[in-house]
Amino acid sequence: MTLTLAAAFAPYEELARQLIPHATDSDDGSHDIAHILRVFRNALRIHAKEGGDGEVLAAAVLLHDCVSVEKNSPLRAQASRLAADKASGILAGMGWETAAIEAVAHAITTHSFSANIPPETVEAKILQDADRLDAIGMVGAARCFYIAGRMGSGLYDPADPLAKERALDDKSFAIDHFEVKLFKLADGFQTAAGRALAGERHERLKQIRDMFLDEIQG
């Protein structure tokens, strides 16, 4: 299976073959190998316009979720740092040079929304944009509802789905997460290519929310 998946990470098939076994360590379907492949494809689209070191970027994508921390864990803000530390050890064991390892680690550390650390390199900016693209649009909506189910949240508050008379609560209601986080992501993209893609997906996300509300309100 690893060989078949590795082919999807062209032109970095050999690197993918080595890193896929380390890429994810949980059963979370929103951060599985399919997510990593989507982020890789997003990253390649941005990389084609923004430049950067392709191998560093590919390694950062493949290992950015190599440590999994649940959304409701108190360690959530540390997840990207933990992943960067683990990735550094993996790459050192493969004989990577220190500068390249540090570049990958920086990209992984700064990619996370929860970590709130600004990316400073082209590769780090591309990884952050590529990962956030997977949180908006149709896939982003699907992941939102998937995670809500995983966490035991409801879809919406039947008494007040638009939160007109209550505080937004995305731990209890999936649809609240659109306003709490997802609608804010498009404003924080780092690259011009990423921003262009984010604008398209943001509009899709709004359409999904509007159609959802239309159906539940009758």
Side-chain angles (χ1 to χ4, degrees), residues 21 25 36 57-58 67 90-91 112 124 145 175 180 201 204:
D25 69 349
I36 291 167
L57 179 60
V67 172
I90 292 167
L91 295 175
S112 170
F145 289 118
I175 200 65
V180 170
R201 297 196 188 188
R204 294 177 193 169

Side-chain angles (χ1 to χ4, degrees), residues 108-126:
I108 293 174
T109 300
T110 61
H111 90 273
S112 170
F113 184 90
S114 302
N116 195 30
I117 302 172
E120 297 178 358
T121 64
V122 173
E123 297 83 13
K125 291 176 181 179
I126 292 174

Side-chain angles (χ1 to χ4, degrees), residues 89 94 96 147 181:
M94 292 169 55
W96 277 47
I147 293 168
K181 179 180 177 180

